């Protein structure tokens, strides 16, 4: 038989096609990825599941990918992303896997804004209040002088609310966040890095054979 992946034996290749053939067709139709790119992404996912002996990938495996490949090191952010793409925060399905790569690699600014805001509000709120924003920026400031650090944090919270809270009601809604980010896309990740940068995207594209995202040759 013609193997899809030469590192897997015939049985593993056959099992892969049996499990994922329907999903390959579906994702190739509903995402920006080509059929070959969907296959490549799912093969990587499949190999993780083989190591687990299940059809799911563990969030621990996902955490390692964030740290090694995605260039995202804030564990609290990783946990919130995992909660947003999974049903239980403990295991990752093939659908969740593809959704993650879709928003990371091909998502529009609107898609990325919605995803980022959902990550920032994963603590159970649907808006960003001062407590949530304060907790998020806590990691941005450190030093030996606690009074100075606390003052810097308070000033940053105030600055962000002046920037985003347009109706001055004490909370930042998605609509307020989206309006500001649409004008200033650099503020998309204003409470912590969520998406891989261009260098990391190139690495992801090569490692997962996403040909449409290969950097142009000089």
């Amino acid at each position: 038989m013609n193997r899809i992946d030469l590192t897997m034996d015939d049985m593993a290749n056959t099992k892969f096609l049996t499990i994922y053939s329907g999903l390959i067709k579906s994702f190739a139709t509903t995402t920006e990825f080509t059929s070959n790119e969907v296959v490549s992404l799912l093969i990587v996912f499949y190999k993780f599941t083989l190591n687990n002996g299940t059809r799911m990938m563990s969030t621990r495996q996902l955490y390692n990918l964030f740290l090694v490949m995605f260039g995202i090191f804030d564990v609290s952010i990783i946990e919130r992303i995992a909660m947003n793409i999974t049903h239980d925060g403990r295991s990752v399905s093939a659908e969740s896997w593809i959704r993650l790569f879709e928003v990371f690699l091909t998502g529009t600014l609107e898609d990325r804004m919605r995803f980022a805001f959902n990550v920032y509000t994963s603590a159970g709120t649907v808006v960003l209040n001062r407590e949530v924003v304060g907790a998020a920026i806590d990691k941005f400031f450190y030093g030996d002088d606690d009074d100075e650090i606390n003052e810097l944090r308070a000033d940053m919270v105030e600055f962000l609310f002046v920037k985003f809270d347009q109706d001055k009601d004490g909370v930042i809604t998605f609509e307020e966040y989206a309006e500001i980010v649409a004008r200033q896309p650099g503020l998309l990740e204003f409470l912590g890095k969520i998406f891989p940068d261009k260098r990391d995207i190139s690495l992801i594209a090569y490692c997962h054979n996403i040909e449409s995202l290969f950097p142009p040759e000089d």
Side-chain angles (χ1 to χ4, degrees):
M1 65 173 290
N2 293 324
R3 294 183 179 179
I4 292 179
D5 189 305
L6 296 178
T7 67
M8 301 190 301
D9 60 25
D10 289 348
M11 182 177 294
N13 273 270
T14 300
K15 186 177 180 182
F16 172 81
L17 289 174
T18 300
I19 296 173
Y20 298 109
S21 58
L23 289 177
I24 292 169
K25 293 177 182 178
S26 175
F27 293 141
T29 302
T30 59
T31 71
E32 296 296 320
F33 298 122
T34 66
S35 180
N36 286 340
E37 290 171 344
V38 172
V39 169
S40 296
L41 285 168
L42 287 176
I43 283 176
V44 174
F45 175 83
Y46 177 56
K47 289 180 178 179
F48 277 115
T49 67
L50 288 177
N51 190 60
N52 297 337
T54 70
R55 293 191 180 184
M56 303 288 276
M57 180 180 174
S58 71
T59 50
R60 174 170 293 190
Q61 291 170 322
L62 186 66
Y63 284 17
N64 288 335
L65 273 180
F66 274 94
L67 296 170
V68 174
M69 186 171 293
F70 296 164
I72 300 171
F73 307 108
D74 186 331
V75 174
S76 66
I77 291 287
I78 298 173
E79 289 175 348
R80 291 184 174 203
I81 292 174
M83 287 298 299
N84 271 273
I85 66 167
T86 66
H87 295 297
D88 57 9
R90 295 190 299 272
S91 55
V92 183
S93 67
E95 291 83 358
S96 297
W97 175 256
I98 293 295
R99 177 172 176 253
L100 177 67
F101 280 89
E102 184 179 16
V103 71
F104 271 13
L105 303 181
T106 67
T108 64
L109 179 59
E110 173 71 23
D111 295 332
R112 292 159 73 86
M113 287 192 295
R114 176 62 68 181
F115 187 81
F117 196 79
N118 286 342
V119 169
Y120 292 147
T121 56
S122 294
T125 63
V126 294
V127 295
L128 292 169
N129 57 34
R130 288 179 178 271
E131 182 180 358
V132 172
V133 173
I137 69 165
D138 186 67
K139 58 184 173 292
F140 297 163
F141 302 95
Y142 52 89
D144 296 327
D145 190 331
D146 290 342
D147 290 338
E148 181 180 7
I149 295 301
N150 289 334
E151 184 176 347
L152 288 171
R153 289 170 179 159
D155 289 344
M156 177 59 77
V157 170
E158 187 61 32
F159 170 80
L160 291 174
F161 270 83
V162 169
K163 182 74 174 179
F164 285 96
D165 182 16
Q166 299 176 65
D167 60 7
K168 309 305 177 188
D169 64 349
V171 297
I172 302 169
T173 64
F174 173 75
E175 289 74 20
E176 290 173 321
Y177 163 77
E179 183 176 337
I180 296 299
V181 174
R183 296 201 303 262
Q184 298 177 263
L187 293 174
L188 174 68
E189 300 169 275
F190 81 111
L191 292 183
K193 183 180 180 182
I194 293 175
F195 303 102
D197 59 27
K198 290 182 178 180
R199 179 181 59 82
D200 294 322
I201 287 176
S202 296
L203 174 62
I204 294 167
Y206 282 127
C207 290
H208 295 81
N209 198 31
I210 312 299
E211 293 185 9
S212 61
L213 295 176
F214 285 178
E217 296 183 0
D218 296 331

